[in-house]
Amino acid sequence: MRRAEVREAAAALFNDQRNPFGAFSLGSETHHAVTIPDAVRRCRWIAVDINASAFGLYFVSPSPERARLVAGFDSDYPGTAVATKFISGANGEDVVRHSRISTAPRWWVDGIAGSRQVFQSLAWAEEASPLAPGTNGIAFPVHADRGQCGLVVFLGSEIALSDETLCEIHARSFALFAAVARIRPGDAGRTRSMSKRELECLKLTANGNTSEEIAKLLKLSVHTANQYLTQSTQKLNAVNRNQAVAKALRLGLIE
């Protein structure tokens, strides 16, 4: 199924049935304000519906050379789950490249083997390498306005899905990601001005560079690079660098 068809399916489902954001629809420019805690709650509802034990929403990093996933939130919000550290690392490169060109869900089994039978029964889903070791899960590629794309991931040893429910869950994931991506207008007005260097450091962090690599690329000391990252994290009212990067991506400060 092409991206446009998935978006149409999402719009039809949410206009007529289970729109989790009230007036919001994929074809509408106006919707009720959504916050990250709202989105976490809605994602948890989806997880409950498919019997998943954990979840996460991720943005694709802007760099075409260093494919990486940046966590918007996960089921340990406002903290960060251990699985997210693996998903945001090198394990995500293959599925990131896939999500840029396809909307086909990807599943994996690296835990209880019984899940394999459930996933293999899905006609429109492909097997992939595990995003986190020792887990079973499924990742739904999602896209939003301004070319943003990402994944909504569900983990669990007893996930319950069928061909009939797969499209609905994907549509709900699409709507969820689109709503999170559109948080930009309300937040942008409250964000303190960012310097060019701060944005450069954030973008390089999004691409997976360490402080040492950023310092080398920008011809700075490691201390100065860390200062820029600390300042940008504070200005974005984020808890850490990863949350700062995710918020900068949502706000369109880095692309």
Side-chain angles (χ1 to χ4, degrees):
M1 188 179 290
R2 295 190 304 273
R3 185 188 313 172
E5 291 173 328
V6 176
R7 288 177 66 88
E8 288 172 6
L13 279 167
F14 285 90
N15 286 341
D16 298 335
Q17 300 174 32
R18 304 181 64 180
N19 185 341
F21 298 109
F24 171 76
S25 70
L26 289 176
S28 172
E29 291 302 318
T30 61
H31 56 86
H32 293 313
V34 176
T35 66
I36 292 299
D38 289 335
V40 173
R41 188 163 54 251
R42 268 64 175 193
C43 200
R44 184 168 284 113
W45 290 348
I46 300 174
V48 168
D49 285 348
I50 64 173
N51 204 35
S53 57
F55 57 84
L57 181 146
Y58 303 86
F59 285 84
V60 168
S61 67
S63 172
E65 294 82 20
R66 300 183 70 167
R68 182 171 175 259
L69 292 168
V70 178
F73 60 79
D74 62 36
S75 43
D76 279 9
Y77 178 85
T80 302
V82 173
T84 286
K85 296 174 183 178
F86 289 99
I87 294 172
S88 297
N91 289 5
E93 288 187 7
D94 178 62
V95 76
V96 164
R97 286 190 288 268
H98 168 79
S99 68
R100 285 173 170 160
I101 61 173
S102 174
T103 53
R106 285 284 191 87
W107 60 267
W108 66 92
V109 173
D110 195 34
I112 298 174
S115 300
R116 181 176 295 276
Q117 203 168 15
V118 173
F119 291 139
Q120 284 180 330
S121 69
L122 302 174
W124 182 54
E126 307 169 357
E127 186 172 6
S129 300
L131 288 185
T135 67
N136 299 343
I138 186 165
F140 292 93
V142 286
H143 300 261
D145 295 337
R146 302 188 302 275
Q148 294 189 79
C149 64
L151 289 173
V152 178
V153 176
F154 298 97
L155 306 174
S157 58
E158 298 181 0
I159 290 177
L161 273 171
S162 66
D163 281 332
E164 289 71 28
T165 58
L166 185 69
C167 182
E168 180 192 355
I169 297 302
H170 202 169
R172 292 170 70 184
S173 297
F174 245 94
L176 178 71
F177 183 77
V180 172
R182 287 182 176 179
I183 289 175
R184 179 181 182 180
D187 282 351
R190 295 192 294 270
T191 301
R192 292 162 57 192
S193 178
M194 306 278 286
S195 72
K196 179 182 177 182
R197 279 296 195 214
E198 288 167 348
L199 292 174
E200 287 174 336
C201 288
L202 272 180
K203 184 169 183 177
L204 289 169
T205 300
N207 293 338
N209 291 284
T210 64
S211 295
E212 290 75 14
E213 290 171 331
I214 293 171
K216 186 176 181 180
L217 288 167
L218 298 181
K219 296 181 172 56
L220 304 170
S221 69
V222 176
H223 174 72
T224 301
N226 282 328
Q227 272 193 320
Y228 281 127
L229 287 167
T230 298
Q231 289 166 191
S232 60
T233 299
Q234 292 172 343
K235 287 181 178 181
L236 288 166
N237 195 28
V239 174
N240 53 42
R241 292 182 188 182
N242 288 333
Q243 287 191 11
V245 167
K247 191 166 186 178
L249 285 169
R250 288 202 314 272
L251 298 177
L253 298 175
I254 56 177
E255 298 177 348

